[in-house]
C-alpha cells in the first residue's frame, strides 16, 4: 500500500524551503484515499472498448452520489459511437483525446424530468423557474460525475473532465437532441490509459490554508489588509511549487499560475464562447428568476 505522506507530497509539491504538503495524519492509507489523492487528467487513451458492464457500473456509482431532496436533477448522455463522438469533440474544443476515448459522458443539468412530474400531478412547478433549481441541478451533476470519475479510476481507467462542452452549447444540445430544460454542463472522457504515451502525473494544488478557513473567513476586526498580504504570500509559494512541477515536466517556460489564471479570465474572448451560456440557459427553459 502506498505511503500516505508520499501521496500528500505529490499532491502539494515542494518549494525551495521543502515540501508544501501538510503533515500526514496518523491514519493509514487505504485504497479509497489512494485513488482520490492520485487523481490525474489522462488525455492519451487506448482505443479498446470498455469491458461489458463498465458503463452500468459507473452509472450506479454516479447515482450513489448525494442528491438534494432526492430530486436527482441530472442526466448524462453516454457517447461511444465514433462518428457522434467525433462531432462532439469538434464542438468541445476539437480535442483529439475525446475522439480517442472509448466513452465520452456528457453530464447535464436536467429539470425536464421534474417538469414531467409536475404535469403528471397537476402542480404549477413554479419553483423550477428559479436560479436555485439550476444551481441544484449543476451541483447534482457535479457530484454524480465525480463519483463516476473515482469509480473509473478505481478500475484502472483514466478520465479527463471537459469544460469545453460549454463552448458551443447550442450546437451540442442539437447534436445530442437535448429536450427543453436540459443543458450540457461538462464532459468526462473515460478509457484505458495508453501505456506507450507519457504518463499523466499528479498536479500540485494550492496549499490547504489557502482553500480552507477555520471557523470564519478571517479574524474579527481584521480590515482585510493582513489577509491579503498572507494570501499574496501563499500564492507566491504556489507559483514556485507549480513552476517546479512544470520544469520537471519539460515545461520550464510555462507562465506562473497567477499570471496564467489572470489571463484565463482576462477578456470575453478568453471564455471561448461560454459568455453566452446564460442566454442559452434561458433559451433552453431555465428562467433563472
Amino acid at each position: 500500500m502506498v505511503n500516505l505522506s508520499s501521496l500528500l507530497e505529490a499532491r502539494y509539491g515542494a518549494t525551495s524551503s521543502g515540501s508544501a504538503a501538510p503533515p500526514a495524519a496518523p491514519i493509514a492509507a487505504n485504497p479509497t484515499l489512494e485513488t482520490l489523492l492520485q487523481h490525474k487528467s489522462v488525455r492519451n487513451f487506448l482505443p479498446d472498448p470498455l469491458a461489458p458492464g463498465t458503463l452500468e457500473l459507473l452509472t450506479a456509482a454516479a447515482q450513489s452520489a448525494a442528491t438534494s431532496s432526492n430530486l436527482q436533477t441530472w442526466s448524462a448522455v453516454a457517447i461511444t459511437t465514433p462518428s457522434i463522438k467525433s462531432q462532439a469533440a469538434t464542438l468541445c474544443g476539437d480535442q483529439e483525446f475525446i475522439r480517442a476515448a472509448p466513452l465520452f459522458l456528457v453530464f447535464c443539468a436536467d429539470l425536464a424530468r421534474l417538469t414531467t412530474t409536475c404535469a403528471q400531478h397537476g402542480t404549477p412547478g413554479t419553483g423550477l423557474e428559479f436560479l436555485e433549481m439550476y444551481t441544484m441541478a449543476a451541483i447534482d451533476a457535479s457530484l454524480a460525475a465525480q463519483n463516476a470519475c473515482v469509480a473509473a479510476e478505481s478500475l484502472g481507467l483514466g478520465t479527463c473532465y471537459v469544460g469545453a462542452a460549454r463552448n458551443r452549447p447550442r450546437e451540442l444540445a442539437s447534436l445530442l437532441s437535448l429536450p427543453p430544460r436540459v443543458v450540457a454542463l461538462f464532459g468526462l472522457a473515460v478509457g484505458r490509459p495508453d501505456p506507450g504515451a507519457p504518463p499523466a502525473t499528479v498536479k500540485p494544488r494550492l496549499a490547504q490554508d489557502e482553500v480552507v478557513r477555520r471557523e470564519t473567513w478571517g479574524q474579527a476586526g481584521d480590515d482585510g489588509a493582513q489577509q491579503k498580504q498572507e494570501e499574496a504570500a501563499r500564492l507566491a509559494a504556489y507559483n514556485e511549487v507549480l513552476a517546479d512541477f512544470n520544469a520537471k515536466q519539460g515545461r520550464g517556460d510555462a507562465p506562473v499560475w497567477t499570471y496564467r489564471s489572470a489571463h484565463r479570465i482576462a477578456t470575453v474572448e478568453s471564455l471561448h464562447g461560454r459568455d453566452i451560456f446564460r442566454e442559452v440557459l434561458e433559451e433552453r427553459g431555465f428562467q433563472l428568476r
Side-chain angles (χ1 to χ4, degrees):
M1 189 167 290
V2 180
N3 181 275
L4 194 56
S5 294
S6 65
L7 295 176
L8 292 172
E9 287 173 6
R11 179 51 71 198
Y12 291 100
T15 66
S16 57
S17 58
S19 173
I27 299 171
N30 59 55
T32 301
L33 286 173
E34 288 182 24
T35 299
L36 289 168
L37 292 174
Q38 294 183 96
H39 166 74
K40 57 188 76 72
S41 294
V42 173
R43 294 182 176 85
N44 293 289
F45 297 102
L46 294 175
D48 310 348
L50 300 180
T54 301
L55 173 59
E56 291 76 12
L57 186 57
L58 298 185
T59 301
Q63 290 188 280
S64 298
T67 170
S68 184
S69 300
N70 199 33
L71 292 177
Q72 303 176 70
T73 51
W74 68 276
S75 290
V77 179
I79 307 174
T80 58
T81 302
S83 60
I84 301 176
K85 193 147 46 72
S86 180
Q87 292 176 73
T90 299
L91 298 176
C92 297
D94 201 23
Q95 300 181 85
E96 193 59 37
F97 72 85
I98 299 173
R99 296 185 180 91
L103 173 64
F104 186 51
L105 293 167
V106 180
F107 284 85
C108 303
D110 180 0
L111 298 184
R113 188 180 301 113
L114 291 181
T115 302
T116 298
T117 66
C118 289
Q120 287 176 338
H121 294 278
T123 61
T126 305
L128 294 174
E129 300 173 5
F130 287 81
L131 176 62
E132 158 62 14
M133 291 306 300
Y134 168 72
T135 303
M136 179 190 295
I139 293 170
D140 270 9
S142 299
L143 294 174
Q146 185 61 11
N147 261 28
C149 175
V150 173
E153 291 176 347
S154 77
L155 297 173
L157 301 173
T159 65
C160 188
Y161 279 104
V162 180
R166 300 186 300 280
N167 284 13
R168 296 169 66 180
R170 292 188 180 99
E171 294 95 326
L172 188 58
S174 177
L175 174 67
L176 303 182
S177 300
L178 300 183
R181 283 188 166 170
V182 175
V183 68
L185 297 174
F186 52 85
L188 184 69
V190 183
R192 194 160 296 283
D194 182 354
T201 51
V202 172
K203 182 178 290 185
R205 298 293 198 236
L206 288 161
Q208 288 191 1
D209 55 1
E210 176 56 30
V211 299
V212 175
R213 269 67 174 177
R214 304 296 180 111
E215 312 308 335
T216 64
W217 193 274
Q219 298 292 329
D222 188 345
D223 64 2
Q226 180 66 24
Q227 289 184 49
K228 288 296 181 184
Q229 190 174 41
E230 292 171 353
E231 181 180 50
R234 290 191 295 266
L235 295 181
Y238 184 60
N239 278 342
E240 185 180 347
V241 166
L242 211 56
D244 177 71
F245 170 81
N246 284 328
K248 291 175 179 175
Q249 299 298 309
R251 299 190 298 267
D253 58 347
V256 297
W257 182 81
T258 50
Y259 179 94
R260 178 184 177 278
S261 299
H263 283 75
R264 171 64 179 79
I265 55 173
T267 64
V268 170
E269 290 74 21
S270 66
L271 296 177
H272 303 291
R274 303 178 204 182
D275 54 293
I276 66 168
F277 199 64
R278 182 189 180 99
E279 181 181 329
V280 171
L281 286 173
E282 292 173 346
E283 291 172 1
R284 301 205 55 74
F286 294 83
Q287 286 132 305
L288 309 179
R289 287 171 57 186

